[in-house]
């Protein structure tokens, strides 16, 4: 079988659709910065107070302030007041329902890191089911219940919010 060349291959159908309203792009605009994910890791692990997060994760104070503020603004975290004896009222940061929905994403990213980036001794942390103590794993399943083990089994198609792609550069060249 001959090797496909640029002239014999067809363009991916994904090129026909705009990415301006892509949910993945919008999500990564919120989560795509390292310190944001580190803050979420800390809160998922029960570290909820500013000074504890800063000390444990080694995040610079201003960076942490900015990340917490943005996560509160988009509804992933909420500020809950607390007051230690003899101290002023402060806030701790708790996951909202929207924030809790991020757990499978963080577990999947962690699993990838455990497979490809962990120390030779193994990962630093394992995630387990509280009910039985067994390790967690993330699965991809379709609505019919089929488990998809090979990423090549996944396809994309236009959804209800799809918009045709308009190549602004090509349109500009054509109008000259």
């Amino acid at each position: 079988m001959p090797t496909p060349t640029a002239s014999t291959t067809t363009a991916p159908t994904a090129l026909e659709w705009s990415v301006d309203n892509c949910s993945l792009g919008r999500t990564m605009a919120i989560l795509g910065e390292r310190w944001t994910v580190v803050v979420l890791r800390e809160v998922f692990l029960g570290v909820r107070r500013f000074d504890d997060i800063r000390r444990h994760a080694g995040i610079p104070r201003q960076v942490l302030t900015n990340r917490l503020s943005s996560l509160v603004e988009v509804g992933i975290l909420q500020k809950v007041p607390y007051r230690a004896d003899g101290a002023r009222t402060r806030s701790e940061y708790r996951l909202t329902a929207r924030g809790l929905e991020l757990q499978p994403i963080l577990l999947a990213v962690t699993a990838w890191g455990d497979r490809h980036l962990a120390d030779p001794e193994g990962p630093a942390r394992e995630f387990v089911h509280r009910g039985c103590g067994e390790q967690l794993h993330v699965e991809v399943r379709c609505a019919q219940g089929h488990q998809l083990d090979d990423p090549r089994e996944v396809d994309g198609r236009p959804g209800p919010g799809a918009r045709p792609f308009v190549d602004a550069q090509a349109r500009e060249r054509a109008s000259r």
Side-chain angles (χ1 to χ4, degrees), residues 61-142:
R61 181 175 292 281
Q62 191 58 52
V63 172
L64 180 55
T65 297
N66 294 343
R67 295 311 172 272
L68 288 169
S69 176
S70 67
L71 289 168
V72 168
E73 184 178 316
V74 297
I76 291 173
L77 295 178
Q78 64 182 342
K79 289 171 79 168
V80 177
Y82 75 92
R83 184 174 179 176
D85 290 338
R88 66 181 173 88
T89 300
R90 295 181 170 219
S91 295
E92 64 178 28
Y93 297 86
R94 297 203 180 167
L95 292 155
T96 62
R98 182 183 236 185
L100 286 165
E101 289 179 21
L102 292 169
Q103 187 182 52
I105 295 168
L106 298 178
L107 289 171
V109 171
T110 300
W112 184 91
D114 289 350
R115 280 191 302 279
H116 300 288
L117 304 172
D119 289 345
E121 304 81 43
R125 177 174 298 276
E126 295 179 338
F127 293 96
V128 298
H129 178 208
R130 282 189 180 152
C132 72
E134 289 297 315
Q135 286 187 331
L136 300 178
H137 66 276
V138 179
E139 296 180 351
V140 177
R141 293 186 177 274
C142 73

Side-chain angles (χ1 to χ4, degrees), residues 1-11:
M1 180 175 198
T3 304
T5 63
S7 60
T8 62
T9 59
T10 58

Side-chain angles (χ1 to χ4, degrees), residues 31 33-48 52-59 64 68 71 76-77 93 95 99 102-103 106-107 109-110 124-125 127:
L31 301 180
E33 196 274 329
R34 174 183 180 240
W35 288 120
T36 301
V37 177
V38 169
V39 168
L40 288 172
R41 175 197 68 199
E42 295 299 312
V43 177
F44 267 107
L45 294 175
V47 182
R48 297 184 183 105
D52 293 339
I53 296 169
R54 187 178 59 74
R55 261 193 326 276
H56 193 249
I59 303 175
L64 180 55
L68 288 169
L71 289 168
I76 291 173
L77 295 178
Y93 297 86
L95 292 155
L102 292 169
Q103 187 182 52
L106 298 178
L107 289 171
V109 171
T110 300
R125 177 174 298 276
F127 293 96

